[in-house]
Amino acid sequence: MRDSHKHRQNVGFIGLGTMGTPMAMRIIAAGYPLTVYNRTPSRAQVLVDRGAVLARSPLELAQASDVVIVMVSDDVALDAVVSAETGILPAIRDGKALINMSTVSPGIVERLNSAVTARGGIFLDAPVSGSRIPAEQGTLVILCGGEQRHVDAYSALLLTMGKKILYAGNAGMGTRLKLTANLLLGGMMGILSEAYRFGTANGISPELLFEMIGAGPLSSPLYTLKAQNVLHRDFTPAFPLKHQYKDLNLILGAAEKLHIGLPLTQAAEALFGSAVDAGKGELDMSAVVIAGADRPAGS
Ligand code: NAP
């Protein structure tokens, strides 16, 4: 669909969490007619107040939409909104599109692609890089898999939420690129946790540690951003720790299928897992820095 047609394209959006709400806001602000669904309906009110229609089920939403976007937590949630009796799938027919933007396993994405295309529908996987603030500002980076012509057809819609689309290849490749990004993210936060533990045990203040990182070649926007969380002990979630833990598990599952070992990612997964066990799953993922520092000596 070209730009000139966008106002006639009925969009459905499922999953109004930390990311989904601001992303759906961007779509409605760009002038698309929007129907929304969320498992907990009260979270949809802010969008209904802006003119969105609230559907009673994913099926009802899909029946009212030309293109359905899903942004839910994980494989279980995606399966629930797609494959249940009142899920999206029965409404998929010729030319109707399903775009999954949740971070899930390559396996479920590839299964969904087969199910949707078998019904004559269009499937894209389009997970995102960037968290709540880029979602509010429409500056996410969208990692897209599917047929190139379909990515082109939905690029105007996708670019209401993002500043850039990276085309990764066939359906499933957007998800594989996203998991590669989150391997690096989990690893960078894991090793920061260890540098924090080592540095502070050596008498280096957290302030000096982050000043050193920012002053030289180790500097990165990620560390600059997350330094503020650590220094102010403010772990209001942008990217919840439990989702990064989920992604490290998805990565290790995909690596196992490819018969490749990822020992550093395994160590990061264990670190994030112990932070989840310590009750820090709902905090921002940067809380892992402190969780690592809190571990008893010798562990
Ligand atoms: P979130 O705030 O936890 O929201 C999760 C959404 O999924 C909610 O709408 C929730 O509905 C829904 N959901 C969960 N389980 C469900 C089920 N069984 N059936 C139906 N709906 C279900 O998550 P988020 O931070 O927005 O993240 C969404 C996705 O984007 C995740 O895959 C995450 O890894 C990925 N992501 C997140 C970020 C980030 O910075 N937050 C960045 C990039 C990618 P309820 O409201 O009813 O609970």
Side-chain angles (χ1 to χ4, degrees), residues 59-77:
L59 178 64
E60 187 181 287
L61 175 141
Q63 284 164 338
S65 307
D66 302 311
V67 47
V68 178
I69 297 174
V70 182
M71 188 57 166
V72 292
S73 323
D74 53 17
D75 283 32
V76 172

Side-chain angles (χ1 to χ4, degrees), residues 213-224:
I213 292 172
L218 296 170
S219 168
S220 83
L222 176 70
Y223 286 164
T224 304

Side-chain angles (χ1 to χ4, degrees), residues 44-200:
Q45 192 55 45
V46 59
L47 282 144
V48 172
D49 291 346
R50 301 285 171 96
V53 174
L54 178 61
R56 280 169 300 185
S57 68
L59 178 64
E60 187 181 287
L61 175 141
Q63 284 164 338
S65 307
D66 302 311
V67 47
V68 178
I69 297 174
V70 182
M71 188 57 166
V72 292
S73 323
D74 53 17
D75 283 32
V76 172
L78 181 59
D79 202 41
V81 299
V82 172
S83 307
E85 207 179 314
T86 54
I88 300 161
L89 207 51
I92 297 289
R93 48 175 170 69
D94 280 355
K96 194 171 287 216
L98 172 59
I99 304 179
N100 173 56
M101 303 188 80
S102 332
T103 308
V104 291
S105 69
I108 195 171
V109 167
E110 284 154 9
R111 279 199 304 284
L112 273 187
N113 177 51
S114 301
V116 168
T117 51
R119 298 180 69 93
I122 294 165
F123 181 82
L124 296 179
D125 63 320
V128 300
S129 184
S131 66
R132 185 174 47 82
I133 306 259
E136 285 169 6
Q137 295 172 343
T139 56
L140 295 166
V141 176
I142 300 173
L143 312 175
C144 214
E147 284 187 43
Q148 175 85 64
R149 67 193 168 106
H150 294 145
V151 176
D152 292 344
Y154 292 100
S155 62
L157 173 60
L158 291 172
L159 288 172
T160 62
M161 297 172 274
K163 63 176 178 187
K164 191 176 181 66
I165 298 171
L166 288 182
Y167 180 64
N170 291 338
M173 289 305 292
T175 295
R176 291 177 190 278
L177 185 59
K178 169 65 185 170
L179 293 184
T180 306
N182 278 23
L183 180 158
L184 205 48
L185 184 61
M188 284 178 74
M189 293 310 291
I191 205 68
L192 178 63
S193 164
E194 218 146 278
Y196 187 93
R197 190 181 195 205
F198 179 76
T200 53

